[in-house]
Structures are given as C-alpha cells and as structure tokens.
Amino acid sequence: MSQLSLSASTTSDRDPTVLIESDRTIATLSLSLDDPPPSAAITVAIDSPNLSEFEVKQIQVEGGELALPEPVQAQLATLLAGKITETVPGAAIAVSSPLGNWSETAGLADIAGNIPVAAGDRFEVGSITKPFTAATLLKLVEAGTLALEDTLTDWLPASVTANVANAENITLRQLLNHTSGVAEYDFILIQQGLANPLIFLQDWQPEDIVALIGDSGPVFAPGTGWQYANTNFILAGMVIEAATGNELAAEMQTQIIEPLGLENTFFSTTKETIPGGYISGYLDFDQNGVLDDVSIANLSWAWAAGAMVSNTEDLTSFAQALYAGGLLSEAMQAEMFTLVDTGRGYDYGLGMMSFETPDLGRLVGHRGGSLGFNSNLWYSPEDDFTYVELLNGRTDETLVVNTIPSFRSGPIPAVGDLSGYDELAVTLTEAMAQVSLPVADDGEVEGAETVTFTIQPGADYTVNPAAQTSTLTILDSEETTPMQLPDRVIAALENALDDNLPPEVPGAAVAILTPEGDWFGASGVSDLADNTPLAPGDRFEAGSITKTFVATTILQLVEEGLLTLEDALTDWLDPTLTALVPNASDITIEQILNHTSGITDYLDVLTAQAGTNPTVFLQEWEA
C-alpha cells in the first residue's frame, strides 16, 4: 500500500514557513505518494481548522482536483434521495463550489422502460428559460439594437399590441422584471387545457398566446406594481425576433448557447426537433392515480417563457457565466441585478429571482416548471456556489413556502457556506499533487497566527507519520511598523493632562490606545518628599480594577471545569466563614461577581473604624 506525505511551504521571500497577509502570499501544500495512484484515483482528506484564513475561491490544484468532503457528499445524496416521490420518478442534482463539485442522479427517466436517470440526461427546465430570454435581450441592448426603455409599440405591430392594455407605455425593462401589469395567459390556457388536453399538442404561435389576454384588463398601470406573468416573456421573445429579423431560437443559439459551449441546451418546441431528445416527464393529468408521460406536449405553449431543455452540467455553466460575469457586460449585469421588491419574500431583477439567506448571502437564479418537470437553478455570488436541481415530475413546491426555506436551513446552505468548512478533499490523479491557497487579507491587525494542515489515513494509502502535519505562520505584513499619533494630537493630549491635573492630585499617568497609534503620558510628581517627576511607566495601586483580575481568574477556573458559576459559597468556603454571611448557601459565584448577592460591604465598617484608629490600614488583614 502506498504511503502519503505532506509538506507545506510559502512564496514568502523572507521565510518559506511564513504567510504575509498584505502581500497575499500563497501557501503550497505538496502531497506525494510512493507509488502512482490507481486508475480509480485516491481522495485525500486534509484537515484545516484555519481554512477561513485563505481565499478559498482562488484555490488551485495540480496533479488532482478538489472534491467535496465525504460527509458533505452524504448530505447531498440524502437530499437527492428525498426528491423521489410518488409524483417525481427521477431527479438530478449538481453542486459546484470552489471546494469541489458533486453531481448525481436518482430514480427513473422512463417508467415504462424502467430506464434510470443517467448523468447528462436532459430535462425540460420550464421558467429557467426566462434567464436565457432575458440574457438574449440584454445582449441586444448591449449591442445597441434595443434599449430597455423601448416600449412594446416601438417594436410590435398593432395586431399584437391591440391585445395588450397600456402597450404604448410598457417598456422592455418592465417585461423582464414583471412590473408591466400585463395579464397572465397561463391561467387561461390551463383552464382550456382541462377541457381539451389536445391544446398542449398543437403548435402555438406567440401571437395566438398573446391573443388569449385580449379581453383582460391590466393588473395595474405599468411600473406601479409587481405581478409574475409568463406573458411578459412571450412579448419579450417577440421583440427579440422583431428587432433582429431572426427566430428566437437562432438568437439564443448565437448569443448564449454557442459562446458558452452548451451542447445539451436547446430552445425548441418538440422532442423530435432536438437531436437525441430528452427524458420523459410525468403528471397525473387525468387524475386517475397513474402518472402520464406528458413530455409529448408541444412546448410552443410556453415558448420564450418556458421552452428550454438542458441538463445540470450546462445549467451550471450558464449560471456561472451569467451571474458571476463573463456573458454580459458589467453595465448589463448591473441592470440585471437591479432588484424589485415583490412583496412576496423575494426580489426580482431582469429575468432573475433573488432572496437573502443567512449562510449563502444573496442567492440569484430561477425556478421552473412545465407540465411534467420541476427545476431549480441558484447561484451565490458571495461563495461562488451553484445548485441545479432537475425533476421529471411535478411537486406542489412554491418559491416562498418551499424553495426559499430549503435554502435558508438544512443541507443546501451547509454545503454552500464556505466559512463552515475545516477540511479540504483532494482527489489525486498523479503521484505528486500541489494545492495552492492564497492567504486572505482581512485588514485587521492580529499579530502572528498559526495555521496547521494534517492529512488523514485512507483505505488506499497509509500516512508517513513524519510528514503528516505541517504548520505555517501568518503575519499581517512583512514589516510591522508601530503606528504613531500625529504630533499635534500628542501635544494636545499632553497639554490636556497638565491643565486638568487637580491641585489635590500630585501626579497622574494616562494611556490611550487607538488603531491610528498609541500614547502614554504622565504629569506631576511620584514623590512629594523629593519632588520626583512621574514617568509613564510608573506603577500605581489599581484599587477596584483588581476585581477584573479576580473575576477573570475565576472565569478561567470555570472554563477549565474546576468551578461553575452556579456553585454556592457553602460549596467551597469553610463553615466558620459562611456562618458570618447571611444566606451563604443560596449565594452563587455569579452573584458574587455581579454584586447581586445582597452581602453587606465590609469597607463601610472598616472605614468607620479607621476614623478613630487609622492604624487599621497598617495591619495585615486575613480574609
């Protein structure tokens, strides 16, 4: 069995064991096996309680790749298994994180054929189409072909806009963020479909979809409210076609799919028009207790609002390019991230849902559903974390009630929150591997800190005991020069101390410590007999500041388990002493420290005695 060794070094010119925060020095962890790893590769766990000291988003690996730790993978596997229900036969989940990726499938892609869902399988993604449509339109704005303040009547013929209330005042921006007030066609179509399911098999034209709302008034005046409506994106798709003279599918291919190399992503209306098709989607359409394959539906009924087909790998790439940057210009990305408060527990940008989480910060993305599919696509800009979930069945999940809470607690934030990790997992593909970790500069002055890295034995290798742990030191900067307050500030402090020394006080010393510099001053004399000037380092009796030292000492003992704050006086003191203290058996250590014990102050008695006999302060007192 091969033996594994670990060593750590840095790029510091001063000392290879020292990391300099201000220089973003890089720590290099070298992993070496006596023999090359087997074809199945070897995954090594590196314990690092100080991982938060590094820029984890910038970790790089040579001779291997990062993998999510096994406990995290187990959490995700449990999450995936829970997605399979009576109404959802199959599922795929993919997670992408700077600390490793994970993707797995579960259940069936085809019930009749008993075919399991496989890696790379394609699903209908429903309203995740909306970010594709929005990104295509924003690319045209970027090119100057369109403007977000253009109105529907600027681009669409009267035969279409006549069916849309306030069409002359509705802008492209309002379509993409659902503030147009346009009525929802989806409800009308579904009601018709319940009476005649065959309408989901017909080839719908966008003009026919918009005509469904011809008798509907506006939900509100443009720009005065928020209401999610698929009609907005049907209209946005029609504007794209009108502005370019191309079909929407062709523009998406040119603007999004080809540049990103999305080989399993298609904007189409039927399985037959997609090379290789996609898996079956299921819904108990006739309510007889048996799931029906509804992926035979013609997706033209959802068109620019929901006709995309993709897989977890392509959607991960799309989310990272769209939300992390690269697909759109900075200006267009800023427009997309301009959020509207929906009043429903989440915000909405341009084709983008968004909500806050405690661990992942702000999440952006979209969820979707078609007749027989559900989907989720979420990205955390703060942690560069992507979550994709595709199901070939319908759930009762709603964004506010189900989706948002699942990202605010449970396994998903636990996996995505990089600050919660204290372990790196590296899959070795070569006998030698290196992990590079740039140290983070938090801007705080902390002095020297120690970081450790330890490798753990595995089933396929042993660990060299002489090279199992490596330790590095982190410094704030190469040269630590003490800060000094400006001369004018020091002069003002010295004058203030001299001017405010009361006549009855022979001398005083003051210390001031600030992030901008420290000052230690003294004024007056330390000895009246020989008129010795007081110096800043001279010692004084501290009086009741002693209490802080005593309390700290007790709290240290509590920390070590030798005491508890709820211990009573009678637990520790001799009865000859506690007999002098009323209620001693009920008085706790905590009450002693915070002065809630009710004990009489002995100093009042002692001071009264000193009034007639000052020598009481010269004698040696016992407690």
Side-chain angles (χ1 to χ4, degrees):
M1 185 178 288
S2 184
Q3 189 177 66
L4 178 68
S5 298
L6 167 71
S7 63
S9 61
T10 75
T11 55
S12 171
D13 295 331
R14 181 173 118 178
D15 186 333
T17 66
V18 172
L19 292 156
I20 310 298
E21 282 191 11
S22 59
D23 293 344
R24 301 295 176 104
T25 315
I26 296 174
T28 301
L29 308 181
S30 298
L31 299 166
S32 59
L33 287 166
D34 290 349
D35 303 306
S39 57
I42 288 176
T43 299
V44 177
I46 307 173
D47 290 341
S48 178
N50 317 94
L51 201 55
S52 60
E53 299 288 345
F54 296 90
E55 298 284 3
V56 293
K57 293 184 187 178
Q58 299 177 26
I59 295 176
Q60 295 184 352
V61 181
E62 295 182 14
E65 59 185 22
L66 289 172
L68 290 175
E70 288 186 7
V72 173
Q73 294 189 39
Q75 284 182 294
L76 287 168
T78 300
L79 177 68
L80 173 63
K83 297 296 177 179
I84 307 302
T85 66
E86 291 182 357
T87 60
V88 179
I93 289 178
V95 164
S96 176
S97 157
L99 295 180
N101 304 325
W102 183 89
S103 62
E104 291 290 344
T105 62
L108 297 176
D110 185 289
I111 294 176
N114 199 35
I115 300 171
V117 180
D121 273 352
R122 304 161 180 167
F123 294 66
E124 292 179 16
V125 301
S127 284
I128 292 177
T129 303
K130 290 180 174 69
F132 282 89
T133 300
T136 303
L137 192 150
L138 289 173
K139 293 292 286 185
L140 295 174
V141 173
E142 200 174 279
T145 306
L146 293 170
L148 286 171
E149 305 315 316
D150 289 350
T151 65
L152 290 183
T153 50
D154 291 332
W155 290 103
L156 300 182
S159 58
V160 173
T161 58
N163 290 308
V164 182
N166 300 316
E168 70 280 4
N169 296 320
I170 293 173
T171 66
L172 303 187
R173 182 190 302 277
Q174 291 165 349
L175 294 179
L176 297 185
N177 66 15
H178 295 289
T179 60
S180 68
V182 170
E184 174 65 281
Y185 81 89
D186 200 16
F187 302 138
I188 300 170
L189 187 66
I190 290 174
Q191 286 301 314
Q192 293 181 7
L194 292 175
N196 176 21
L198 294 179
I199 68 172
F200 290 110
L201 301 179
Q202 73 186 60
D203 190 15
W204 286 84
Q205 296 302 309
E207 294 82 358
D208 298 330
I209 296 174
V210 175
L212 291 171
I213 66 165
D215 295 330
S216 303
V219 181
F220 47 77
T224 63
W226 189 92
Q227 180 65 52
Y228 189 91
N230 288 281
T231 317
N232 285 306
F233 278 77
I234 301 297
L235 292 165
M238 295 175 74
V239 169
I240 291 171
E241 291 194 337
T244 62
N246 297 323
E247 290 187 355
L248 178 58
E251 279 301 309
M252 283 188 173
Q253 189 74 22
T254 301
Q255 302 282 4
I256 311 294
I257 295 173
E258 287 181 359
L260 298 183
L262 307 181
E263 297 181 354
N264 288 288
T265 299
F266 303 89
F267 180 82
S268 193
T269 57
T270 64
K271 275 189 176 183
E272 291 72 23
T273 55
I274 295 176
Y278 53 92
I279 73 171
S280 296
Y282 293 92
L283 174 69
D284 183 5
F285 196 87
D286 50 13
Q287 298 294 301
N288 66 351
V290 178
L291 292 178
D292 303 300
D293 183 350
V294 292
S295 54
I296 60 172
N298 187 312
L299 290 178
S300 60
W301 71 271
W303 200 55
M308 299 295 297
V309 169
S310 190
N311 66 4
T312 56
E313 181 180 3
D314 275 11
L315 289 179
T316 298
S317 298
F318 172 65
Q320 292 170 345
L322 181 62
Y323 301 128
L327 180 60
L328 298 174
S329 67
E330 289 186 10
M332 285 303 100
Q333 192 176 36
E335 294 283 10
M336 182 177 64
F337 273 78
T338 302
L339 302 174
V340 175
D341 182 0
T342 68
R344 293 160 172 80
Y346 61 97
D347 300 323
Y348 205 95
L350 301 185
M352 183 186 80
M353 291 174 168
S354 179
F355 55 89
E356 289 284 349
T357 68
D359 299 316
L360 297 173
R362 179 165 288 277
L363 280 181
V364 296
H366 221 285
R367 64 179 301 273
S370 57
L371 288 180
F373 294 86
N374 264 47
S375 54
N376 276 286
L377 172 65
W378 301 104
Y379 178 76
S380 165
E382 183 176 315
D383 286 331
D384 190 23
F385 168 77
T386 310
Y387 178 89
V388 181
E389 172 188 299
L390 302 177
L391 312 177
N392 66 340
R394 292 288 296 181
T395 71
D396 294 330
E397 181 180 280
T398 61
L399 185 70
V400 176
V401 176
N402 303 100
T403 304
I404 291 178
S406 70
F407 279 87
R408 286 182 173 158
S409 62
I412 299 173
V415 171
D417 180 17
L418 302 184
S419 65
Y421 283 70
D422 57 8
E423 176 184 310
L424 286 173
V426 182
T427 300
L428 303 182
T429 55
E430 301 176 17
M432 295 285 295
Q434 288 190 334
V435 182
S436 299
L437 301 91
V439 69
D441 185 3
D442 56 16
E444 298 180 4
V445 179
E446 300 147 320
E449 300 173 90
T450 300
V451 295
T452 60
F453 301 94
T454 304
I455 51 176
Q456 299 300 333
D460 302 315
Y461 63 90
T462 61
V463 170
N464 180 356
Q468 183 175 9
T469 299
S470 285
T471 302
L472 300 174
T473 300
I474 299 178
L475 299 180
D476 299 303
S477 61
E478 187 90 31
E479 299 293 337
T480 304
T481 303
M483 297 285 288
Q484 184 169 336
L485 292 172
D487 291 342
R488 58 182 177 78
V489 175
I490 293 174
L493 290 170
E494 289 175 343
N495 290 335
L497 179 57
D498 291 335
D499 294 342
N500 290 283
L501 191 66
E504 67 273 17
V505 176
V510 174
I512 296 176
L513 280 70
T514 77
E516 289 72 35
D518 305 332
W519 177 73
F520 302 90
S523 181
V525 297
S526 62
D527 192 322
L528 289 172
D530 57 13
N531 207 35
T532 303
L534 188 68
D538 283 348
R539 301 168 182 165
F540 290 70
E541 292 179 6
S544 284
I545 293 176
T546 306
K547 294 180 176 66
T548 305
F549 286 84
V550 172
T552 303
T553 303
I554 289 177
L555 291 173
Q556 289 277 10
L557 296 175
V558 171
E559 201 169 78
E560 293 172 15
L562 299 176
L563 296 171
T564 77
L565 290 173
E566 300 309 313
D567 288 350
L569 292 185
T570 50
D571 291 334
W572 293 102
L573 300 184
D574 190 277
T576 57
L577 286 176
T578 58
L580 301 172
V581 182
N583 302 315
S585 59
D586 298 322
I587 294 173
T588 66
I589 292 176
E590 183 173 14
Q591 292 166 345
I592 292 291
L593 297 183
N594 65 16
H595 295 288
T596 61
S597 66
I599 296 175
T600 302
D601 194 345
Y602 79 91
L603 197 57
D604 295 336
V605 179
L606 190 64
T607 303
Q609 292 180 9
T612 56
N613 179 20
T615 60
V616 299
F617 288 118
L618 302 179
Q619 71 185 66
E620 185 173 357
W621 289 84
E622 296 293 331

